[in-house]
Each structure stands twice: as C-alpha cells, then as structure tokens.
Amino acid sequence: MEEIQLYLEEAKELMQKAVDHTAGELVKIRAGKAMPNLLDGVMVSYYGAPTPLQQIASVTTPDARTLTIKPWEKNLISEIEKAIINSDLGLAPQNNGEIIILTIPPLTEERRRNLVKQAKQECESGKISVRTIRKDTNESLKKLQKDGTSEDDIKRAEDTVQKLTDQYSSKIDELLVKKEAEIMTV
C-alpha cells in the first residue's frame, strides 16, 4: 500500500511541475504590455565588450505601454540606443539626455490571434506532459500488481491517478483562459 502511495505522490509532484512549467512558458508570450524582460536579449557595447542591457542600466515600466531605461553612466545612452535599433524588436528609442523611452506599439488583431495559438500550443504541451505522467504511473502500478498487490488496490490507485490528471489538466485550461483574455484585451 505504501508503494502505491509513493507512486501517487510522485505523480502529483510531477504533474504540478508540468503546470508550473506551462505557466512559465505562458509568461514569456508578450501580450502587448511593456515588460522589462522584453529587453533581455539586447547586448550593448560597453567599453568594447558586448554586455546585457540589464547590467549597465535600470529598466522600468512607468505604464503598460512604456519602458524607460536609465543608464548608470550617461555616456552610454547612444550605445544603448544603437543596440535597441539594431535588435530585432522593432522599437524606436527616444532619449531626453537622462533616460531612454521606448513606446510599445499595440498588437494587431492578427498578431493577437497568433499569440493565442502559441499559448494554446504551450498548454497542449503541458497537458501532454500530464497525460504522459499518468501513463507512466499506471504502468508502474501494473508492475506492482504483478508483484502481488491486490487488484482492487491497483484499481483505486488508477482512479486516483485519473482524478489527478483531470485536476491538473483543468489547471492548465484555467491558465490558457487567463492568458487568452490577457492577449485579446486591447
């Protein structure tokens, strides 16, 4: 019996990790809002060495459509502007001598639909992970039955695994509903 319990606990833990991973992937999908992590890939020439933007400036979001970049050294403003222009972000930096301001354009309807498709794919991957965990756990339980565990105990454990699968799949569905609403809100 306690072996069955171990398998159920492990399945629950792995399914939670699958949900957490899916949530992490959904956060990476930009929903038209200004987020500092949008500039994560921007490298600035700092005394000749390519350096991540976050290491030479602070990036803040004063509102949902604007990013401000305040370099720690004023002489870096032109280098930061060059790096943003040369990146594939498609943003036009403006500076006032102290800070750089980036205005994030609103998403088009077509782009929003593509982002929703991407979110659905991420959620489907998460659900596939949950179902794979169910399959692996059920196979382990069947091996226990061959080793002499009663058929009734195995059947109850499989029912519990199915309930866990349904529970964690619905959590992923909830994540998708929230993300879809976030993306489609203009």
Side-chain angles (χ1 to χ4, degrees):
M1 267 316 270
E2 70 182 52
E3 276 186 78
I4 291 174
Q5 206 54 43
L6 283 173
Y7 283 125
L8 294 177
E9 287 300 316
E10 183 184 17
K12 191 174 183 178
E13 194 177 301
L14 291 172
M15 287 180 186
Q16 184 58 51
K17 283 182 182 173
V19 170
D20 293 344
H21 176 75
T22 303
E25 291 300 309
L26 289 178
V27 166
K28 294 177 187 172
I29 298 175
R30 183 173 81 91
K33 293 183 180 72
M35 297 170 74
N37 64 2
L38 186 65
L39 300 172
D40 280 353
V42 176
M43 300 297 268
V44 180
S45 176
Y46 181 61
Y47 296 108
T51 308
L53 178 63
Q54 286 77 358
Q55 291 183 12
I56 59 170
S58 65
V59 181
T60 56
T61 52
D63 62 57
R65 295 246 177 259
T66 312
L67 285 173
T68 59
I69 304 164
K70 184 168 175 54
W72 291 311
E73 298 176 30
K74 281 187 184 169
N75 62 339
L76 290 173
I77 286 183
S78 63
E79 289 294 332
I80 293 172
E81 277 186 309
K82 271 190 232 168
I84 292 169
I85 290 168
N86 293 336
S87 72
D88 60 353
L89 295 173
L91 299 173
Q94 305 156 343
N95 90 60
N96 64 7
E98 296 276 322
I99 60 172
I100 297 171
I101 300 164
L102 294 173
T103 306
I104 309 298
L107 296 172
T108 63
E109 186 67 25
E110 182 183 343
R111 181 75 178 124
R112 287 179 193 281
R113 286 202 177 99
N114 287 339
L115 289 174
V116 168
K117 279 183 193 171
Q118 188 181 345
K120 284 180 180 175
Q121 286 172 340
E122 288 298 340
C123 287
E124 189 53 39
S125 295
K127 288 169 112 175
I128 288 169
S129 296
V130 169
R131 291 192 297 264
T132 302
I133 294 163
R134 174 189 63 193
K135 183 178 137 261
D136 293 346
T137 304
N138 284 342
E139 284 174 3
S140 298
L141 290 170
K142 284 192 184 359
K143 286 179 187 165
L144 281 181
Q145 188 176 347
K146 288 177 186 168
D147 295 342
T149 307
S150 80
E151 195 173 324
D152 289 345
D153 289 342
I154 298 299
K155 197 73 188 142
R156 277 193 292 273
E158 286 177 345
D159 290 344
T160 304
V161 170
Q162 185 57 49
K163 285 178 187 157
L164 287 173
T165 303
D166 296 343
Q167 177 187 345
Y168 285 99
S169 288
S170 69
K171 284 184 180 183
I172 291 174
D173 288 337
E174 289 169 23
L175 290 173
L176 177 61
V177 168
K178 284 181 192 168
K179 189 64 179 186
E180 199 170 344
E182 182 185 322
I183 292 170
M184 294 312 283
T185 302
V186 180

